[in-house]
């Protein structure tokens, strides 16, 4: 049953129209572009998808457009996290109605909630629907650090099936993977995908997959076939591109690269800054090398 949650999952970018609205047509294009490459699924409306910059209605629109474009072909994970439990529950119910396979959520942020409050938030959301829950461990962004002990505590609720681990601590990733409940663990930093796989990750959820999924599928396939040297060489090659993205702004660059490739992504929502002219040129060069 868990097989369908393994593999390469783009953290779907959210395209906007010129007026800054969620762009259903471009969502359909981006999903189709990636399904054709053979991705295993999508993680919709997370950090990469600017989910926390969208209204609840816009997030529902995004979920609907992505599910419609996917049409049941790959595994769909809806990111429903926000600071407000009520809103997250509303989004989880929407994802369930649309046929999503799982939900996921960042820990609630800003107020430095203690462990019991964070645990209550996750259980309230998970228990509001029949979908499995994937924890999102991203301590650099929200200050909540998952430990193995806390993960074991969460996984007492059978709704919890996995962890998206956006953290460079790969010892911790391996420790999660060694839990008796054998959770699905996703590598969260694309630039360390092969390292995450070698510490036990079942796949990856990543922003850079949006425009170069075939390269990560290749790393994944090589790794699983035992060609570690081949997988590592591929990782080193994609990391040259990722370091360019980081230099100019990851999401803005990814949108620009895809726009260069013919998918009308628009720009990131404020307070993200627009891409500099140097960034635009770098995006053009990346799109050219990938063609
Ligand atoms: O979802 C992404 N995480 C964040 C995963 O953006 C916080 C990654 O794909 C990174 O964007 C990528 C670049 O650092 O690894």
């Amino acid at each position: 049953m868990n097989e369908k949650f393994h593999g390469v999952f783009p953290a779907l970018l959210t395209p906007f129209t010129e007026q800054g609205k969620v762009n259903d047509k471009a969502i359909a294009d981006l999903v189709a572009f990636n399904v054709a490459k053979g991705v295993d699924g999508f993680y919709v409306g997370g950090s990469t998808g600017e989910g926390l910059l969208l209204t609840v209605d816009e997030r529902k629109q995004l979920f609907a457009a992505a599910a419609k474009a996917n049409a049941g072909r790959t595994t769909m994970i809806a990111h429903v996290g926000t600071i407000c439990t009520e809103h997250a529950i509303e989004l989880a119910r929407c994802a369930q109605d649309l046929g999503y396979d799982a939900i996921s959520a960042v820990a609630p942020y800003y107020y430095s909630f203690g462990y019991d409050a964070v645990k209550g938030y996750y259980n309230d959301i998970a228990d509001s629907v029949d979908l499995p829950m994937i924890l999102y461990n991203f301590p650099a962004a929200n200050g909540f650090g998952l430990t193995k002990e806390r993960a074991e505590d969460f996984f007492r609720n059978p709704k919890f099936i996995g962890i998206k681990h956006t953290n460079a601590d790969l010892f911790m990733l391996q420790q999660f993977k060694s839990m008796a409940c054998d959770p699905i663990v996703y590598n969260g930093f694309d630039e360390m995908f092969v390292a995450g796989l070698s510490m036990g990750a079942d796949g990856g959820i990543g922003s850079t997959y949006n425009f170069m999924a075939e390269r990560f599928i290749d790393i994944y396939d090589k790794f699983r076939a035992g060609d570690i040297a081949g997988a590592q060489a591929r990782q080193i090659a994609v990391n040259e591109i990722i370091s360019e993205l980081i230099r100019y702004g990851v999401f803005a660059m990814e949108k620009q690269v895809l726009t260069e490739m013919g998918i009308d992504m628009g720009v990131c929502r404020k307070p993200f800054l627009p891409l500099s002219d140097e960034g635009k040129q770098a995006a053009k060069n990346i799109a050219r090398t990938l063609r």
Side-chain angles (χ1 to χ4, degrees), residues 106-108 112-124 144 154:
V106 283
S112 308
F113 295 109
Y115 177 60
D116 289 341
V118 174
K119 190 178 157 189
Y121 159 93
Y122 272 111
N123 282 298
D124 285 343
F144 176 72
F154 276 114

Side-chain angles (χ1 to χ4, degrees), residues 14-52:
T14 301
F16 295 115
T17 64
E18 236 172 280
Q19 292 74 36
K21 304 286 181 210
V22 172
N23 185 342
D24 287 4
K25 158 80 172 66
I27 293 168
D29 292 345
L30 183 58
V31 168
F33 178 68
N34 279 285
V35 170
K37 289 180 179 187
V39 301
D40 296 287
F42 294 93
Y43 189 88
V44 183
S47 317
T48 301
E50 299 173 71
L52 302 166

Side-chain angles (χ1 to χ4, degrees), residues 194-195 219 222-223 227-239:
V194 76
I219 292 171
K222 283 192 163 61
F223 181 85
D227 178 9
I228 311 300
Q232 189 192 30
R234 280 295 183 148
Q235 179 76 65
I236 290 166
V238 294
N239 284 4

Side-chain angles (χ1 to χ4, degrees), residues 11-88:
L12 197 69
L13 287 156
T14 301
F16 295 115
T17 64
E18 236 172 280
Q19 292 74 36
K21 304 286 181 210
V22 172
N23 185 342
D24 287 4
K25 158 80 172 66
I27 293 168
D29 292 345
L30 183 58
V31 168
F33 178 68
N34 279 285
V35 170
K37 289 180 179 187
V39 301
D40 296 287
F42 294 93
Y43 189 88
V44 183
S47 317
T48 301
E50 299 173 71
L52 302 166
L53 301 178
L54 305 180
T55 66
V56 170
D57 282 348
E58 287 174 323
R59 293 174 77 170
K60 291 181 179 175
Q61 181 188 343
L62 167 65
F63 288 169
K68 185 167 178 227
N70 182 61
R73 290 177 291 176
T74 76
T75 303
M76 300 292 277
I77 306 169
H79 175 264
V80 303
T82 170
I83 189 173
C84 171
T85 300
E86 289 291 314
H87 290 170

Side-chain angles (χ1 to χ4, degrees), residues 9-12 43 46-49 136 138 140-141 164-166 187-193 204-210 216 242-243 245-246 250-251 254:
F9 285 63
L12 197 69
Y43 189 88
S47 317
T48 301
Y136 185 173
F138 190 10
K164 166 168 154 44
H165 186 65
T166 305
N187 182 76
F189 281 127
D190 313 359
E191 51 276 35
M192 289 185 265
F193 187 41
I205 294 172
S207 70
T208 71
Y209 308 174
N210 277 278
F216 287 92
I242 295 177
S243 68
L245 305 179
I246 292 170
V250 174
F251 307 142
E254 290 167 349

Side-chain angles (χ1 to χ4, degrees), residues 234-285:
R234 280 295 183 148
Q235 179 76 65
I236 290 166
V238 294
N239 284 4
E240 268 186 47
I241 296 173
I242 295 177
S243 68
E244 282 285 283
L245 305 179
I246 292 170
R247 176 169 319 161
Y248 298 108
V250 174
F251 307 142
M253 281 290 282
E254 290 167 349
K255 284 189 161 176
Q256 189 66 29
V257 170
L258 281 159
T259 298
E260 290 288 341
M261 291 175 150
I263 300 177
D264 180 20
M265 296 298 294
V267 300
C268 291
R269 194 164 264 194
K270 285 180 178 179
F272 279 119
L273 294 172
L275 199 55
S276 65
D277 288 343
E278 293 81 6
K280 283 184 186 154
Q281 188 53 50
K284 196 175 246 179
N285 295 341

